[in-house]
Amino acid sequence: MKIALIYGSTTGNTEDVAEKIQENLAGHEVQLFDVADASPAEACVFDRIIMGIPTWDYGEIQSEWEDVWEDLDELELNGKRIALFGLGDQIGYGDWFLDAMGKLHDKLVEAGAEMVGYWPNEGYDFSASVALTPDGKQFVGLALDEDCQSELTDERVSKWCKQVLAEF
């Protein structure tokens, strides 16, 4: 299976997770795209796509994603299966935990994407998030916190990758 994995990373954490996901999907052709160097349209020629976005400060979109945000409105995503992963700080910014992932999810759904890879919200300590499904029981993608729960990242990535492959 060919999979595009596009991410934005300012501090390197999201890039590190993207590489972990690529390692966990060994046996499949996973092409990495840094949104700072490649447009989302380049990744969207694939039918299976993973996108990674960190949330900054008070629910803000990471700068490289912000640079291409309006370009996402031009994408035709019908027939594309997309999984998301997001990074945030659930303690320091618990009122906006993973909000950028929720905003990206909504934008992709509007463009016709079939979203997969939803993740349970158990084991997190946050106040609010626009990255929750309407019933509030799941995140719209893999939820990671390298600031407060980095010790759980490898296990979460491994489990999520198996889930996403099954859903792809």
Side-chain angles (χ1 to χ4, degrees), residues 135-161:
D135 65 7
K137 295 180 180 177
Q138 297 182 89
F139 289 108
V140 296
L142 176 61
L144 299 171
D145 183 343
E146 291 298 280
D147 296 308
C148 303
Q149 293 182 331
S150 61
E151 73 281 0
L152 300 175
T153 297
D154 288 345
E155 178 184 344
R156 286 174 172 166
V157 166
S158 175
K159 185 175 178 182
W160 182 75
C161 285

Side-chain angles (χ1 to χ4, degrees), residues 97-135:
F97 186 53
L98 304 174
D99 280 3
M101 183 171 68
K103 293 171 186 176
L104 180 58
H105 172 272
D106 293 348
K107 190 170 270 291
L108 298 171
V109 167
E110 287 176 24
E114 180 184 341
M115 304 305 294
V116 300
Y118 288 20
W119 185 254
N121 70 2
E122 293 96 22
Y124 299 88
D125 183 17
F126 63 98
S127 303
S129 177
V130 299
L132 291 171
T133 55
D135 65 7

Side-chain angles (χ1 to χ4, degrees), residues 53-124:
I53 186 169
T55 298
W56 279 91
D57 296 324
Y58 306 104
E60 295 172 28
I61 296 163
Q62 188 261 350
S63 60
E64 280 90 7
W65 276 107
E66 195 172 72
D67 291 344
V68 299
W69 199 250
E70 290 182 17
D71 298 341
L72 296 172
D73 296 330
E74 306 302 318
L75 298 176
E76 175 53 57
L77 299 177
N78 290 322
K80 309 286 184 183
R81 289 192 178 178
I82 300 178
L84 301 177
F85 69 96
L87 280 74
D89 178 349
Q90 62 191 306
I91 303 301
Y93 296 94
D95 288 335
W96 305 274
F97 186 53
L98 304 174
D99 280 3
M101 183 171 68
K103 293 171 186 176
L104 180 58
H105 172 272
D106 293 348
K107 190 170 270 291
L108 298 171
V109 167
E110 287 176 24
E114 180 184 341
M115 304 305 294
V116 300
Y118 288 20
W119 185 254
N121 70 2
E122 293 96 22
Y124 299 88

